[in-house]
Amino acid sequence: MTSVVGVGADDPVVLVSVFKTPVAVAFTREVAAGRLDETERPRLIGCCEDLFAR
């Protein structure tokens, strides 16, 4: 028998919190491949570009 313990396991999770992990992994891979410079702010292209306009 396996015991499972959770804190707030039934609480709703904001999607943005879950979404950050795969984005961070993709960013890290692009930096490692030399396609992105980790010291520069990446430019968002597509549907979300206007959300982060300066």
Side-chain angles (χ1 to χ4, degrees), residues 4-54:
V4 178
V5 176
V7 176
D10 294 326
D11 293 342
V13 177
V14 178
L15 179 59
V16 175
S17 297
V18 178
F19 185 72
K20 290 177 194 172
T21 301
V23 170
V25 170
F27 178 79
T28 303
R29 288 180 177 168
E30 292 297 303
V31 169
R35 291 186 288 264
L36 285 176
D37 181 354
E38 65 185 321
T39 63
E40 292 184 15
R41 185 178 190 156
R43 182 169 180 248
L44 299 176
I45 299 173
C47 68
C48 302
E49 189 173 6
D50 58 332
L51 296 175
F52 300 99
R54 291 186 195 185

